[in-house]
């Protein structure tokens, strides 16, 4: 199981630094599948598998998004003047999203995850943005739209255990950003969600001791450690590709990855 998680962490690192995923689209379906197959769907861990996968993925993002943000900052691909106004609102939204996830059943969280993936893929394909970029300058948002958008991004990302990229990448592409710029901004925007979301998951589920000693609430600490090591390796390997992938190919691979995860989550029960 842990060798698979190490490989999964490496893939999460690659998708974090190149696509801003924060690892969630890789970690959540794979960890959910592993927990069900190892412990069985009727065990305590099996019944909480989706909550564990989402919480552990959110915790991994604290590490992965921090490292990926530093890598992008060194390459000067992050447009900080567009990132800063959203940070506080994303952190507040993450608390709401994590609290909602803890109160919902694992099956509900899974279907919300599937539904949101489908909407994101359709939005990116049908509306101007990733595959139909028309401009080169990123248009800023007004204060009201920033507050509303930031809170929604944080809530959805923490609820599903995914990086803010599921919303920020299509959003920034529609506002004129290249895929490199959009994915670079997704990493620092995932950080406030990851920190607030992880703290909320741990605090609200701290009384659940049935999962075992290696759990902080719903966060699987052993899986988190292995995933973090793999993520570090993946980020180191993929950092050389920052800014080198043609924009249309970058966008196409982004949507292909989303589609693959959607298929896995629909098929795995």
């Amino acid at each position: 199981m842990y060798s698979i998680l190490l490989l999964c962490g490496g893939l999460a690192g690659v998708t974090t630094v190149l696509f801003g995923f924060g690892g969630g689209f890789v970690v959540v379906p794979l960890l959910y599948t592993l927990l069900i197959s190892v412990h069985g769907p009727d065990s305590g861990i099996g019944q909480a598998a989706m909550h564990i996968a989402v919480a552990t993925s959110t915790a991994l993002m604290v590490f992965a998004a921090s490292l990926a943000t530093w890598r992008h900052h060194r390459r000067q691909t992050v447009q900080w003047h567009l990132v800063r106004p959203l940070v506080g609102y994303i952190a507040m939204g993450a608390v709401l999203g994590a609290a909602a996830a803890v109160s919902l059943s694992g099956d509900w969280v899974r279907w919300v995850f599937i539904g949101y993936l489908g909407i994101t893929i359709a939005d990116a394909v049908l509306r101007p943005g990733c595959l139909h970029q028309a401009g080169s300058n990123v248009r800023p948002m007004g204060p009201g739209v920033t507050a509303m958008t930031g809170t929604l991004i944080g809530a959805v990302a923490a609820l599903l255990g995914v990086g803010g990229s599921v919303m920020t990448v299509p959003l920034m592409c529609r506002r004129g950003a290249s895929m490199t710029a959009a994915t670079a901004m997704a990493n620092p925007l995932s950080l406030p969600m990851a920190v607030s979301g992880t703290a909320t998951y741990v605090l609200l589920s701290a009384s659940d001791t049935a999962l075992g000693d290696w759990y902080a609430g719903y966060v699987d600490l052993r899986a988190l450690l292995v995933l973090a090591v793999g993520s570090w390796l993946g980020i180191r390997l993929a950092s050389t590709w920052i800014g080198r992938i043609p924009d249309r190919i970058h966008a196409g691979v982004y949507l292909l990855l989303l589609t693959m995860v959607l298929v896995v989550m629909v098929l795995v029960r």
Side-chain angles (χ1 to χ4, degrees):
M1 173 175 173
Y2 290 109
S3 59
I4 297 174
L5 284 175
L6 185 67
L7 181 61
C8 172
L11 185 56
V14 171
T15 58
T16 295
V17 78
L18 294 182
F19 301 98
F21 278 177
F25 286 120
V26 178
V27 173
V28 171
L30 183 58
L31 187 54
Y32 172 80
T33 304
L34 285 174
L35 290 169
I36 291 293
S37 62
V38 171
H39 298 282
D42 297 324
S43 65
I45 290 177
Q47 291 177 352
M50 193 63 190
H51 286 117
I52 294 169
V54 169
T56 305
S57 170
T58 304
L60 175 65
M61 270 180 254
V62 177
F63 171 80
S66 297
L67 186 54
T69 296
W70 173 243
R71 295 277 178 172
H72 275 283
H73 176 68
R74 290 180 62 185
R75 296 291 182 93
Q76 299 182 333
T77 54
V78 182
Q79 298 188 39
W80 287 106
H81 67 286
L82 297 171
V83 170
R84 291 189 189 98
L86 287 164
V87 169
Y89 296 113
I90 287 177
M92 288 189 293
V95 174
L96 300 175
V102 170
S103 64
L104 292 171
S105 72
D107 203 44
W108 269 103
V109 176
R110 173 172 169 265
W111 281 109
V112 171
F113 189 96
I114 289 169
Y116 197 79
L117 272 176
I119 292 170
T120 301
I121 293 166
D123 177 79
V125 170
L126 298 175
R127 294 213 296 172
C130 294
L131 294 179
H132 308 287
Q133 186 180 321
S136 56
N137 297 319
V138 184
R139 301 181 298 278
M141 296 180 289
V145 175
T146 297
M148 216 169 24
T149 302
T151 303
L152 181 62
I153 289 171
V156 171
L159 173 66
L160 305 180
V162 297
S165 74
V166 68
M167 298 182 73
T168 56
V169 169
L171 172 68
M172 292 302 178
C173 284
R174 284 199 302 272
R175 302 193 75 80
S178 66
M179 274 297 293
T180 296
T183 54
M185 286 184 279
N187 283 301
L189 289 174
S190 293
L191 270 175
M193 181 283 299
V195 173
S196 296
T198 300
T200 305
Y201 276 121
V202 171
L203 291 173
L204 292 185
S205 57
S207 60
D208 191 345
T209 58
L211 298 177
D213 295 333
W214 283 93
Y215 283 85
Y218 282 127
V219 178
D220 185 333
L221 297 176
R222 284 179 294 194
L224 176 62
L225 178 60
V226 177
L227 287 165
V229 172
S231 182
W232 175 73
L233 293 171
I235 289 171
R236 279 182 62 90
L237 289 172
S239 293
T240 56
W241 289 94
I242 292 175
R244 296 184 178 182
I245 305 173
D247 214 55
R248 193 166 183 84
I249 294 175
H250 202 168
V253 175
Y254 172 84
L255 293 177
L256 177 62
L257 289 171
L258 290 187
T259 304
M260 289 170 62
V261 175
L262 175 63
V263 171
V264 170
M265 288 305 296
V266 169
L267 295 179
V268 174
R269 298 182 185 278

